[in-house]
Amino acid sequence: MRERVTPLLSEAQIQVRVQELGAQLTRDYAGKELVVIGLLNGVFPFFADLVRAMDMDLDISFMQVASYGGGTESTGEVHILKDLDRSIQGFHALVVEDIVDTGLTLFKVGNLLKDREPLSLKICTLLDKPSRRKVQVPVDYVGFTIEDHFVVGYGLDFDGKLRNLPYVGVYHP
Ligand code: IMP
Ligand code: MG
C-alpha cells in the first residue's frame, strides 16, 4: 500500500508545527485546569507529540467514535465506541483530532461534550480540509490546512492501514 502514497508533509515539517501548537496552547491555557481529549484511533501520534510539546500540568482522556463505515466517506452517523473515563465538568476541555473533513464528527462530539458542562471547549486538529465542510464547527487550532486529498500516515488510515507512516501523504487508490 505504501507505493500508493505521495508525501505531502514531512516528519520534520510536522514536528516544527506541533512544537508551535504546543507552545501556543501552553500560553493559552496557562494557570487553567485542562483536560486534553484525544479522539482515537487516528489521533495517537499527534496527541502524543502535542501533549509532550505542552509545558504545563494537564490531564488526558480518550474517546473513540466511528463515523466511517470502512470507506473514505463520512456517513453522517457518529457512534460512540469508547467514552471518556472521567468527568470534564469544571475543567477546560481541548478536543484533539487528526483531521476535520465534513465536520460531522466534531459537530456531534462537540454537542455531546458541551452538555457535560466544561468551563470551555475548544478544538485542535492536525489537518483541516475546509473545502469539504458540511456543517460549521469552530476549529480553534489547526496544524495544516490542506486541499481536498485523501491523506494517510501519522495516524490517518486507509481501511485501517498506513497509520504508522511517520509522515503524511496523499493516498492514490
Ligand atoms: P468528518 O466527520 O467528515 O469531519 O471526518 C472526520 C474523520 O474522518 C477523521 O477523524 C478521520 O478519521 C476521517 N477522515 C477524514 N478525511 C480523511 C482523510 O483524508 N484520510 C483519512 N481519514 C480521514
Ligand atoms: Mg478518525
Side-chain angles (χ1 to χ4, degrees):
M1 295 183 92
R2 290 169 173 237
E3 66 284 357
R4 296 182 178 276
V5 182
T6 316
L8 182 66
L9 301 167
S10 70
E11 271 186 88
Q13 268 178 292
I14 294 169
Q15 285 315 317
V16 167
R17 187 67 189 119
V18 171
Q19 295 306 313
E20 287 173 359
L21 284 172
Q24 192 184 344
L25 290 165
T26 303
R27 288 192 297 273
D28 292 358
Y29 286 103
K32 293 182 174 162
E33 289 274 14
L34 174 67
V35 186
V36 188
I37 298 169
L39 296 190
L40 295 171
N41 290 325
V43 86
F44 76 97
F46 177 48
F47 190 92
D49 289 341
L50 186 69
V51 293
R52 285 182 296 171
M54 295 174 69
D55 186 17
M56 60 180 288
D57 291 335
L58 53 81
D59 291 2
I60 64 165
S61 192
F62 294 97
M63 196 168 182
Q64 186 174 14
V65 299
S67 52
Y68 278 28
T72 59
E73 282 292 315
S74 203
T75 58
E77 254 181 81
V78 176
H79 307 278
I80 297 181
L81 304 179
K82 179 206 178 297
D83 206 342
L84 299 179
D85 59 357
R86 53 162 296 149
S87 164
I88 56 170
Q89 189 177 25
F91 283 76
H92 294 273
L94 177 69
V95 178
V96 183
E97 171 67 303
D98 51 3
I99 186 165
V100 185
D101 186 31
T102 63
L104 289 165
T105 305
L106 277 176
F107 181 75
K108 302 247 167 117
V109 169
N111 286 341
L112 189 107
L113 294 180
K114 268 180 224 151
D115 287 346
R116 300 183 185 180
E117 303 179 340
L119 290 177
S120 70
L121 182 69
K122 286 191 174 181
I123 292 171
C124 175
T125 185
L126 175 70
L127 305 175
D128 188 13
K129 276 200 273 193
S131 61
R132 297 251 313 161
R133 208 68 101 245
K134 286 184 182 160
V135 288
Q136 287 313 310
V137 282
V139 185
D140 303 281
Y141 301 91
V142 176
F144 301 91
T145 300
I146 61 168
E147 302 293 312
D148 181 12
H149 300 300
F150 192 81
V151 288
V152 294
Y154 196 62
L156 292 140
D157 72 304
F158 173 72
D159 207 12
K161 302 277 197 306
L162 300 170
R163 293 193 196 274
N164 59 320
L165 285 180
Y167 58 91
V168 171
V170 178
Y171 187 75
H172 305 278

